[in-house]
Each structure stands twice: as C-alpha cells, then as structure tokens.
Amino acid sequence: MYVAMNSLSRLYRRNALDEIEGLGYFKSVDWIESIDSTNKQLVQMVRQQSVELPALLVTDRQIAGVGRGSNQWWSPAGCLMFSMAIPIGHCDSSVSPALLPLRVGFAIAECLELFSSSRPMVKWPNDVYIDGRKVAGVLIEVIPKPSPASAVAVIGIGINCRVDFHEAPADVQTRATSLHEWANKKVSESASTENVLVQFLHQWLAFDQRQHENPQWILDHWAERSLLDGQWSVVNHPAGVSQGRCLGINTSGALLIQNERLEVIEVLAGTVQSFRQLV
C-alpha cells in the first residue's frame, strides 16, 4: 500500500535531493510518486533524446516493475526503486562493459554493509543477498547508438529498505529480506529509502574512481563478495543448463562452472536457478 508523505518525509526527501545535486554527477534528477517502471520510462526518454545524461529517476511506487527475463519485481512501500541512465563512455573505457552488472551488484553490497549487521553478498551477476535471502535486484538495458562509445546503459535497481512482507506473495516471503531486519535500532531507523539511495550513489562514484585507478579491481576483489564461489550451482544460459561447482569468474566476468566431468564451462550471460553449499 502506498503511504502519502508527511512534512517530515518531504524534508528528508528534499535533503536527499540536495545532497544528490551536490555530487555534481547527474544532469537530470527526478523523484516521482508513481510510475509503471523507472527503467521503461528512462529507456523511452533516452531513445527520444528527451533527457540530459547522466540521468537519475526515482519513484515511491512502481506498478509494473520488471526483473530479468519475465520476472516481476514486487514493489511495496519501503522499497527503494530507481534507474540511472549512464553513457557507456562515462564508465572507464579500460573496463569491459560485460563487467558492468558485476560492478553494480558489488557497489550495492558495499553500500548495504554500512547498514547491515550481516555481510551482503552478490549472486552473479548482480543480485544482492543477506544471509541467503535477496535484498536487492538489478536490471540493465543497453541502448545502442551509432558508435559504441555513445551507447547508454539504463541501470534499474530495487532495494528492500524497510519492507513489510506480510502481504507479499508466498514465494517472495520465503526468498526475500529487508535491510532494516539486519540492522541495530540506531542504523535501522536510518535505513530509509533516501539515506540508502544517497549512500549508494556515494559508493557508486567511489567505486568508479577505484576502477579508474585499477581496471582489475573488480576481478581482484570479486571473491570477497561472491555468494556462489564454491557452491554447487545450476545455471540456465543460451546454450542450455549447466550445473557444477562455481569457481568464480574470468576476466570477461563470465561465471565459471566445473561440472561432474571436471570440465569448466564459461557462462557469460545466464540466470542462476539454484545453488547450495557443497558438503
């Protein structure tokens, strides 16, 4: 259920927008009450060239949010929902575009660790989990342009900040969690959508700077955040379904799966259907 904002909430919102403006990164920032999908809206605006880039679009209520494939993103009150439209050229050109999903997931996990008493982990390529339950999801759409340098990535992010799952679908209740459930009282009170958004944007820009200084940074540190490393994973990908022990990623960001015949399969694009710890 959507809850209207009171005067205090409006003050928090205004302060957050002022801090985002102070970052000096986005040329277009909009926070609206309700929309079908922030990604759909930004994709349309980019194609129509009706928005200045980089752009940020945030909403309080998303009535047709989408995930990867045919998945839907359940979007209740207390869920931070936003999309960023970023020219690929704004990402370090020395870093493979295929690593972008991993970079987003890693930055979210680093942001949420500021609030969480349990370490957030990334399920390849970019879903974020706390204690085995999903707390954040990402959908990235790349809009091609005449030259690769001018392509635009629209990055949609949903983070469960202060979500009550009592009215959620049964499958969501069993596999999802909310950030405030993992924080002490003081931090829990600060785990608002405004605070989490501002902290994520700070982390994202700092992460981008680290990548600029060391293009191999994400590859060097991926194992620290990988939920799947060492796990028996079942992955659905264009060539079929592969299962085996996850060995990490390669330099292109592909997931490495070692099957029962000890063959190593590289999955550059796919969906992890399930995973479990090896005995």
Side-chain angles (χ1 to χ4, degrees):
M1 179 181 296
Y2 175 68
V3 179
M5 294 178 63
N6 56 35
S7 57
L8 184 59
S9 298
R10 289 191 176 89
L11 177 61
Y12 289 152
R13 180 69 46 83
R14 184 66 261 166
N15 289 341
L17 289 171
D18 288 344
E19 188 162 353
I20 292 169
E21 182 179 353
L23 293 174
Y25 179 72
F26 294 103
K27 295 183 179 179
S28 173
V29 177
D30 203 2
W31 196 320
I32 59 180
E33 290 187 359
S34 180
I35 197 173
D36 56 350
S37 164
T38 54
N39 255 37
K40 288 180 180 178
Q41 179 70 16
L42 263 189
V43 166
Q44 181 179 7
M45 294 171 72
V46 170
R47 286 175 174 162
Q48 295 175 345
Q49 299 183 347
S50 61
V51 64
E52 196 172 6
L53 303 176
L56 173 68
L57 177 61
V58 194
T59 187
D60 294 315
R61 182 170 180 262
Q62 193 168 236
I63 60 177
V66 295
R68 300 183 71 203
S70 59
N71 295 333
Q72 297 294 310
W73 181 265
W74 189 64
S75 307
C79 180
L80 170 61
M81 296 157 285
F82 66 100
S83 294
M84 304 184 295
I86 300 174
I88 297 295
H90 276 228
C91 299
D92 195 322
S93 59
S94 62
V95 180
S96 168
L99 295 176
L100 179 59
L102 282 65
R103 296 171 67 189
V104 176
F106 205 110
I108 294 172
E110 289 203 322
C111 163
L112 300 190
E113 187 159 17
L114 300 174
F115 301 86
S116 175
S117 59
S118 183
R119 185 171 175 82
M121 303 294 284
V122 184
K123 188 190 81 171
W124 180 92
N126 49 30
D127 286 340
V128 180
Y129 280 61
I130 297 179
D131 198 38
R133 294 194 174 197
K134 186 174 178 178
V135 69
V138 179
L139 175 65
I140 299 178
E141 301 178 59
V142 176
I143 304 171
K145 293 290 183 179
S147 64
S150 60
V152 177
V154 176
I155 305 168
I157 298 174
I159 302 175
N160 296 327
C161 295
R162 300 187 59 84
V163 174
D164 182 353
F165 289 101
H166 287 97
E167 296 182 3
D171 65 320
V172 173
Q173 292 186 30
T174 59
R175 59 184 173 82
T177 191
S178 181
L179 179 60
H180 78 282
E181 297 176 356
W182 299 97
N184 59 43
K185 183 177 180 181
K186 180 178 180 180
V187 177
S188 176
E189 292 172 351
S190 70
S192 65
T193 54
E194 289 86 359
N195 283 342
V196 173
L197 175 62
V198 168
Q199 289 301 325
F200 167 76
L201 295 177
H202 278 290
Q203 291 292 328
W204 174 249
L205 295 179
F207 191 95
D208 206 48
Q209 180 61 32
R210 289 200 298 266
Q211 284 287 143
H212 177 74
E213 296 169 355
N214 175 17
Q216 297 297 308
W217 195 93
I218 184 69
L219 300 174
D220 295 341
H221 294 270
W222 178 255
E224 301 170 10
R225 289 284 181 188
S226 176
L227 180 65
L228 299 181
D229 280 22
Q231 304 263 22
W232 186 268
S233 304
V234 179
V235 186
N236 186 13
H237 53 90
V241 178
S242 299
Q243 58 180 316
R245 181 173 179 266
C246 178
L247 303 180
I249 60 174
N250 64 14
T251 56
S252 297
L255 190 68
L256 302 178
I257 298 293
Q258 185 181 55
N259 63 22
E260 292 178 329
R261 296 186 297 277
L262 301 184
E263 302 167 333
V264 177
I265 301 165
E266 299 182 4
V267 180
L268 188 59
T271 302
V272 178
Q273 294 181 333
S274 62
F275 57 94
R276 60 178 173 81
Q277 187 171 2
L278 290 169
V279 177

